[in-house]
């Protein structure tokens, strides 16, 4: 089923993990619909994992404002649209948006000084990453 918009009311939520227990198995998670805009209001959220589902639509516009996000895995869905500018996420150390339908120019990574491991394969992306980025050691 779909993630309800009311998830944005869970202001103390730190982890939203709806991915399969074993991602290597390529099992589906049965999450459908769009990612609710309310995710952008979860100021305490550190991990967002909704992978291997049938999630459609665009990334929530407020996602770049969730400053505590350190791990984002939205891989293996049917997300469309642009990759949002994630430079305002100083804690980000893992980003996997692979195997979706995202397209367009690569976003400005803004204040990020370190490049986290990034999964952007199977995209129609264009452009270059910000020149001042250095690769962050994996924690």
């Amino acid at each position: 089923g779909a993630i309800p918009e009311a998830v944005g009311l869970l202001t103390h939520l730190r982890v939203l993990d709806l991915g399969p227990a074993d991602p290597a198995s390529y099992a589906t998670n049965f999450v459908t619909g769009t990612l609710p805009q309310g995710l952008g209001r979860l100021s305490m959220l550190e991990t967002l994992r909704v992978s291997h589902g049938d999630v459609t639509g665009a990334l929530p516009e407020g996602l770049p404002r969730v400053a505590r996000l350190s791990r984002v895995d939205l891989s293996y869905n049917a997300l469309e649209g642009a990759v949002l500018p994630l430079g305002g996420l100083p804690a980000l150390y893992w980003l996997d948006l692979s195997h979706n339908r995202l397209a367009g120019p690569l976003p400005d990574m803004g204040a990020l000084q370190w490049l986290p491991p990034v999964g952007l394969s199977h995209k129609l992306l264009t452009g270059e990453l910000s020149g001042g980025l250095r690769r962050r050691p994996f924690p």
Side-chain angles (χ1 to χ4, degrees):
I3 302 171
E5 184 63 38
V7 73
L9 300 175
L10 303 173
T11 56
H12 294 286
L13 186 67
R14 294 179 55 184
V15 175
L16 180 60
D17 188 344
L18 300 176
D22 179 10
S25 71
Y26 296 101
T28 60
N29 65 16
F30 302 106
V31 177
T32 61
T34 60
L35 292 172
Q37 292 297 321
L39 290 174
R41 293 191 299 272
L42 299 177
S43 61
M44 303 295 285
L45 192 64
E46 297 171 0
T47 298
L48 174 61
R49 182 170 170 250
V50 185
S51 62
H52 296 80
D54 193 21
V55 179
T56 59
L59 297 172
E61 291 180 18
L63 205 56
R65 293 190 300 271
V66 183
R68 292 185 183 214
L69 266 178
S70 59
R71 182 180 172 95
V72 177
D73 182 355
L74 301 173
S75 62
Y76 292 92
N77 281 293
L79 294 168
E80 298 176 327
V83 176
L84 299 172
L86 300 174
L89 299 176
L92 189 66
Y93 74 83
W94 184 268
L95 174 65
D96 192 348
L97 302 174
S98 64
H99 299 276
N100 280 289
R101 298 179 187 146
L102 299 169
L106 287 169
D108 178 14
M109 297 304 265
L112 281 183
Q113 294 180 10
W114 300 96
L115 181 62
V118 177
L120 293 173
S121 64
H122 299 86
K123 309 276 160 304
L124 300 172
L125 300 174
T126 60
E128 298 178 8
L129 289 173
S130 305
L133 292 172
R134 294 172 284 164
R135 186 164 178 80
R136 174 184 281 180
F138 191 71

